[in-house]
Amino acid sequence: MENKPKPERRERSKEASCERGRDVSQDTLCEKAEPKPERMEAGPTAQRNGRLVDQYKIQESMDLANVGNNLANKGRYSEALHYYSEAIGLNPGEYRFLGNRSYSYERLALYKEALADAERSLELQPNFIKGYFRKGKALKGLKRYSEAISAFQRALSCDLNRVEAAQEVADCQRKLQELKISTRENLPAPLNLQPVPAGSLGNNNNTVFRSVVYTRSNGGLPAARTAPPSVPAAHPRPGSR
């Protein structure tokens, strides 16, 4: 008999919890049935969700770019290109990703692709110093030394302490000078236009000389004129003395 009150307390607690559960469910139904006007505005919520998605993409692109940087530092440029491209796909407005991919392209001797990425990075950020340096390296690989010098000099104007850019300028100037010298040496020798001395053609009666004249009948076009063959000198007949 003494233990009977204890189950009653437990039953009361269960009933109280059930009542609380019913109250909560009813409140929830009421909120859904009669929502307040403020909760119906989806604009701020959508914007907040959009910012969260953008932040996720940005963070993921940074992670991918860091993987690409680690691979590039190890000389695994082909693999680094994949991660840089994935990062650019998630965050196309990040100019540094394009500069890093341009570096990998240049190391793989894909100079046209390296130049395209470098120029795109400079469109996004005109003051991107490494962008001018990457552009100069790509132009140098394409043997467009004059344009490469201009790009490296632009990098120097932004950062006077950039020793690598100064070295690249000197190297491009040397290669440009070598290219000019090799081009000059490969030019054909000039033709010898000195007049032919008289009598050097021999005394061949069958030689035909042609000269070019301009007449009105052919509209000022050159016409060939054949000189008459020379008549051999007469020899005395035997016994004519």
Side-chain angles (χ1 to χ4, degrees):
M1 295 295 293
E2 295 178 356
N3 295 330
K4 288 183 180 180
K6 293 182 180 180
E8 292 178 358
R9 293 194 188 97
R10 285 197 295 270
E11 291 176 358
R12 290 177 183 176
S13 62
K14 290 181 181 180
E15 291 177 357
S17 62
C18 292
E19 291 177 358
R20 285 196 299 269
R22 285 195 296 271
D23 295 338
V24 170
S25 61
Q26 290 174 359
D27 294 339
T28 305
L29 291 174
C30 292
E31 289 180 0
K32 291 181 179 180
E34 298 178 0
K36 296 180 180 180
E38 295 82 7
R39 296 182 183 180
M40 291 297 293
E41 294 178 0
T45 304
Q47 293 178 359
R48 183 165 59 252
N49 293 337
R51 285 195 297 269
L52 291 175
V53 172
D54 291 341
Q55 289 295 330
Y56 172 77
K57 287 184 177 180
I58 290 173
Q59 184 60 46
E60 186 177 0
S61 68
M62 292 291 181
D63 295 338
L64 290 168
N66 287 330
V67 175
N69 292 340
N70 294 331
L71 292 170
N73 291 332
K74 296 177 182 179
R76 298 161 62 179
Y77 304 110
S78 298
E79 299 176 58
L81 286 176
H82 170 74
Y83 287 95
Y84 288 141
S85 299
E86 290 290 332
I88 292 170
L90 291 173
N91 191 4
E94 182 52 67
Y95 60 91
R96 292 173 295 180
F97 296 166
L98 291 163
N100 291 342
R101 193 171 70 172
S102 175
Y103 168 75
S104 295
Y105 276 134
E106 186 268 330
R107 300 302 295 174
L108 292 171
L110 299 174
Y111 301 118
K112 291 183 179 180
E113 291 82 356
L115 179 60
D117 275 357
E119 290 179 339
R120 177 59 182 159
S121 69
L122 291 173
E123 290 177 2
L124 295 172
Q125 178 53 264
N127 296 325
F128 184 35
I129 299 174
K130 287 187 177 180
Y132 291 105
F133 189 82
R134 301 301 180 210
K135 181 179 179 180
K137 292 287 288 185
L139 290 168
K140 180 183 176 182
L142 294 171
K143 297 184 179 181
R144 294 161 58 177
Y145 299 117
S146 298
E147 299 174 70
I149 290 172
S150 300
F152 288 128
Q153 287 177 342
R154 186 67 182 272
L156 284 172
S157 66
C158 298
D159 187 1
L160 297 178
N161 297 324
R162 194 162 188 82
V163 181
E164 294 180 0
Q167 293 176 349
E168 292 293 344
V169 169
D171 191 32
C172 286
Q173 290 175 343
R174 179 179 58 82
K175 289 183 178 295
L176 185 61
Q177 188 66 22
E178 292 175 355
L179 183 62
K180 290 180 179 179
I181 294 173
S182 62
T183 303
R184 195 182 306 120
E185 291 177 350
N186 293 329
L187 289 175
L191 298 176
N192 187 5
L193 301 178
Q194 295 180 357
V196 179
S200 62
L201 297 177
N203 191 12
N204 187 359
N205 295 333
N206 295 327
T207 305
V208 178
F209 298 92
R210 294 181 181 270
S211 60
V212 179
V213 295
Y214 293 88
T215 61
R216 293 181 180 178
S217 61
N218 59 5
L221 296 175
R225 185 177 63 187
T226 304
S230 58
V231 180
H235 297 284
R237 295 178 181 179
S240 61
R241 294 180 182 176

